[in-house]
Amino acid sequence: KDRSFTCTAPVNIAVIKYWGKRNEELILPINSSLSVTLHQNELRAKTMITLSSSFDEDQMWLNDKEEDISNPRIQRCLREIRRLATKTCSIDPSYLEGHVQIRSENNFPTAAGLASSAAGYACLVYCLSQVYGLKDVDISVIARQGSGSACRSVYGGFVSWEKGEREDGEDSIAEQVCPDMHWPDLQVLILVVSEQKKTVSSTSGMRTSVETSSLINFRANNVVPARMDEMKQAIKEKDFSTFATLTMKDSNQFHAVCLDSYPPIMYMNDASKYIVQLVTAYNLLYSSPRLAYTFDAGPNAVLFTPGGNIGEILGLVQHYLPPNPGAENYIRGVSAGQAV
Ligand code: DP6
């Protein structure tokens, strides 16, 4: 007999960035982070898993191409789920001897470098927990061990990842700050300025930063803790102006840490910097910010703006950002989507 399950998981965009690990094996961060989970209409990962006692080995396909399942992060997620399934006797024991076939896909171009690992691992772990019949387990703790940012995609809306203090990482978990319907007016726009794969992966980039940057510890110890509190408050109060300012400052500081690393890491390109200038100039037209940018480990921009503003912003983008990114290079979505 087989057990099958299919699910989808959304992408999340950090407005307070996770950058740097204190434990590489367990993926424990040096600072807490906070993200917005996007609506699944636009960007999501999808996974289908079949567990069968008749399969001889575990296998995995990503976008129809067979993947090497010996990848240590995938193995760690599988091991954790099986350990919990054995412990809680959640399914017929014959399944615990069986193997899985995993089929995953993204509905967005992986080349665009948009947080695909976060949605991918959140989806994988949730789907595994279902085929193994697990109930009442914190999926975020396991998703975190696939890719740090994945623990935040386990929840919808506005989500924090609390760094935790424990050596075993059991308190390094994601928590929902506010549900998706809390702030429906907040809109997200993704500007794809380059479809090239990123030059330095997040994993190796943050390792270089931890080893060489002196700014990174100042950020983790002296900046992020207070910023997390202020950001949570701004979200609760739907205070766009504070949300925008903190989002932009945090993106800037993350990229400053990258530049402070040696050899320096440069994720933003000329088009990204132009977008920063454009947003800054636009905000100067008003008494408080109406538009915010943030950049992850790549040159593509994510913009946040109140809903009533979206027409004006699309006009701005189309007028000032030719020829690439052009009008067709944006993805629009309502910000707050639901969880896996
Ligand atoms: C810049 O979660 O991809 O997007 O834990 O090594 O898999 P690993 O890294 P990953 O890093 C994401 C970094 C970031 C900021 C963020 O999403 O918080």
Side-chain angles (χ1 to χ4, degrees), residues 14 18 21 27 73 117 147-149 152 202-203 206 254 296:
Y18 147 52
K21 298 183 182 72
I27 312 200
R73 291 176 171 210
S117 73
S147 180
S149 54
R152 299 185 311 237
S202 305
T203 307
M206 62 179 90
F254 154 52
D296 275 347

Side-chain angles (χ1 to χ4, degrees), residues 283-315:
N283 282 333
L284 282 174
L285 299 174
Y286 301 94
S287 52
S288 63
R290 287 236 218 159
L291 184 60
Y293 58 78
T294 188
F295 298 82
D296 275 347
N300 299 319
V302 177
L303 305 184
F304 292 93
T305 195
N309 231 13
I310 200 89
E312 188 169 299
I313 301 304
L314 289 177

Side-chain angles (χ1 to χ4, degrees), residues 61-74:
W61 291 263
L62 180 58
N63 296 326
D64 292 326
K65 210 177 125 268
E66 185 155 9
E67 285 282 299
D68 182 8
I69 198 148
S70 69
N71 172 328
R73 291 176 171 210
I74 298 174

Side-chain angles (χ1 to χ4, degrees), residues 118-300:
Y121 275 102
C123 203
L124 171 75
V125 168
Y126 182 73
C127 206
L128 278 174
S129 75
Q130 295 301 305
V131 285
Y132 278 94
L134 294 179
K135 290 183 192 77
D136 303 326
V137 293
D138 190 338
I139 304 298
S140 83
V141 173
I142 309 170
R144 188 202 76 223
Q145 297 174 54
S147 180
S149 54
C151 72
R152 299 185 311 237
S153 272
V154 165
Y155 298 105
F158 302 84
V159 184
S160 70
W161 171 15
E162 304 297 332
K163 75 180 184 72
E165 302 295 335
R166 287 172 55 146
E167 297 271 302
D168 66 3
E170 290 297 308
D171 60 348
S172 189
I173 54 170
E175 286 173 2
Q176 189 179 61
V177 174
C178 283
D180 57 319
M181 282 321 292
H182 168 71
W183 199 354
D185 190 45
L186 187 71
Q187 294 279 309
V188 185
L189 208 67
I190 299 178
L191 303 183
V192 177
V193 304
S194 162
E195 300 208 345
Q196 281 179 353
K197 256 185 99 81
K198 54 190 165 194
T199 44
V200 181
S201 73
S202 305
T203 307
S204 80
M206 62 179 90
R207 186 181 304 137
T208 304
S209 295
V210 166
E211 284 167 1
T212 64
S213 164
S214 37
L215 184 55
I216 196 170
N217 289 324
F218 176 76
R219 165 175 167 73
N221 301 328
N222 300 55
V223 180
V224 175
R227 198 168 271 178
M228 284 290 292
D229 292 341
E230 288 172 63
M231 185 62 102
K232 285 178 191 173
Q233 195 62 28
I235 290 168
K236 282 179 185 145
E237 291 170 2
K238 290 178 255 185
D239 169 0
F240 183 78
S241 163
T242 306
F243 172 85
T245 310
L246 292 173
T247 296
M248 292 187 281
K249 287 180 78 170
D250 203 72
S251 174
N252 296 347
Q253 190 175 65
F254 154 52
H255 291 279
V257 166
C258 289
L259 200 57
D260 185 49
S261 307
Y262 196 81
I265 305 161
M266 285 174 260
Y267 288 124
M268 291 167 67
N269 64 17
D270 286 349
S272 321
K273 291 175 194 167
Y274 182 75
I275 292 170
V276 171
Q277 285 177 305
L278 187 67
V279 172
T280 307
Y282 175 79
N283 282 333
L284 282 174
L285 299 174
Y286 301 94
S287 52
S288 63
R290 287 236 218 159
L291 184 60
Y293 58 78
T294 188
F295 298 82
D296 275 347
N300 299 319

